[in-house]
Amino acid sequence: MKCALGLAAALSVVGCGESTDEVGDKYQGAVDATNFDTKFRATSGTYRTTTAMVKGAKVPFFNLGQVATERKDDKGAITTAGVPVDEAGRPYLPASRVSATSYDFADGCRTGKPEFDFRNDLYPETEQWPLFTALPLTVTGNTTPPVLPLVKVAAWTGTGGQQCNAIKDAASLTKGAFGGAAGEGTTVALRAIIDLTALVNKLSPESTYTSKGGWYRGLQLAYLEGGAVPVDEKGNLKVMDGVLVSPPTGAPASETPAYLFAAAPGEEGWSPVVRLRTFTATTAKPASSYTGLCVDACAPTELDLATVNRYAGVLFVVGSNQ
């Protein structure tokens, strides 16, 4: 008998039983998240949401962690890896630093078993999940590049006749086992591989957003889709401005740090990659009193970005308007 954990966020159950006859790459089980970088691990078995204030509204999101700015010695050698900064001290992230690839299937696939039974089936045969070439494993050493929840997305064509989820390994795909070929060019997206066994909280009571399924070397995985990240004319990822407002020293325990973002999911200016600044509130105007960010013309409860010049690095977030 084959036994595996089902896609926790999508099914909220564990399926164990006999699968349909296997086609294509051999099913190797589920990805073990034990050695994932801490940014990708669940807290006490659950991925919880955080909220940011955007134009007076609370916007829930999943916090996929922060990468601080890199540090260099007086000779320009990196002593602590991170994201680079420009002449003005602002963090940025070159698209060239995205190393992992995720293969999507532009031609779809051929349906196998038409209905997924979580009690007996290991995975659905009605869609082809993307293939990943790397896992977000913990790295060691101060100068080792940090793990990023970003991938280069490549579209693979010519495999529409293959049974859905028969392809489970990027290596067999690229070696020609299933035919087809990669399309020209790639895009960048935030796809954060997470613990398949953990619970993923809803973004809101009405939200339909959930994690998705994927494959790594025949291993089943789950990931949070954060969406495409455009690249600017300089080859850097387009970022969204954000500020983490901290309470002042001596503030009551009820005062907690507050995120302020420039846009909400689905709006122009939204990006899952946030250029994060930090700001300390005052007793007279606590962190909880801010309702959003502004430039020049500001309401009394908004924080003027022009006055905040302390940068912390880059924050990765997943949000949705669904």
Side-chain angles (χ1 to χ4, degrees):
M1 176 181 287
K2 295 180 180 179
C3 183
L5 291 166
L7 184 57
L11 305 175
S12 300
V13 292
V14 174
C16 180
E18 295 295 337
S19 178
T20 52
D21 292 337
E22 189 167 15
V23 175
D25 288 324
K26 182 176 176 58
Y27 181 83
Q28 302 290 353
V31 167
D32 183 354
T34 303
N35 294 320
F36 278 10
D37 183 272
T38 54
K39 297 190 294 294
F40 300 83
R41 293 187 217 158
T43 301
S44 300
T46 303
Y47 291 94
R48 296 176 171 83
T49 60
T50 307
T51 58
M53 293 300 297
V54 180
K55 302 170 187 174
K58 290 184 178 180
V59 174
F61 68 94
F62 292 106
N63 186 334
L64 272 303
Q66 178 183 326
V67 174
T69 56
E70 63 188 16
R71 297 181 181 180
K72 298 181 179 180
D73 61 21
D74 54 4
K75 296 181 180 179
I78 294 176
T79 57
T80 303
V83 293
V85 297
D86 62 17
E87 313 80 51
R90 298 175 301 183
Y92 66 96
L93 186 53
S96 60
R97 294 203 176 187
V98 180
S99 58
T101 299
S102 177
Y103 289 97
D104 286 351
F105 294 86
D107 298 335
C109 56
R110 175 176 55 83
T111 297
K113 187 177 179 180
E115 293 185 5
F116 177 73
D117 182 353
F118 70 84
R119 296 166 298 181
N120 298 309
D121 300 334
L122 298 172
Y123 49 84
E125 296 179 355
T126 54
E127 63 176 320
Q128 174 62 54
W129 289 342
L131 312 181
F132 291 76
T133 62
L135 296 176
L137 302 177
T138 300
V139 297
T140 58
N142 289 340
T143 59
T144 305
V147 180
L148 304 176
L150 301 169
V151 294
K152 295 177 288 187
V153 180
W156 196 276
T157 61
T159 55
Q162 298 291 338
Q163 182 170 300
C164 298
N165 276 332
I167 309 174
K168 306 178 185 70
D169 189 344
S172 64
L173 178 71
T174 56
K175 289 178 180 178
F178 298 94
E184 293 186 8
T186 60
T187 57
V188 176
L190 191 153
R191 291 182 177 178
I193 298 175
I194 60 172
D195 186 346
L196 181 70
T197 68
L199 176 67
V200 179
N201 283 351
K202 298 188 71 171
L203 282 169
S204 69
E206 303 79 21
S207 176
T208 59
Y209 179 89
T210 187
S211 62
K212 297 183 178 182
W215 298 105
Y216 171 75
R217 296 186 178 181
L219 296 169
Q220 183 179 350
L221 59 82
Y223 71 96
L224 297 177
E225 174 65 70
V229 186
V231 180
D232 65 21
E233 64 281 356
K234 295 182 179 179
N236 300 322
L237 300 182
K238 290 188 177 181
V239 298
M240 175 176 66
D241 284 312
V243 178
L244 178 60
V245 182
S246 299
T249 302
S254 58
E255 276 295 309
T256 57
Y259 285 101
L260 308 177
F261 288 167
E267 294 182 347
E268 183 178 358
W270 167 265
S271 173
V273 181
V274 182
R275 183 163 56 203
L276 191 66
R277 312 183 199 198
T278 59
F279 179 78
T280 303
T282 64
T283 303
K285 197 171 184 179
S288 59
S289 68
Y290 287 96
T291 61
L293 298 174
C294 62
V295 178
D296 299 328
C298 298
T301 57
E302 293 178 324
L303 180 61
D304 188 350
L305 266 176
T307 66
V308 186
N309 298 308
R310 190 168 63 229
Y311 294 93
V314 169
L315 175 72
F316 299 100
V317 302
V318 171
S320 175
N321 57 0
Q322 297 179 344

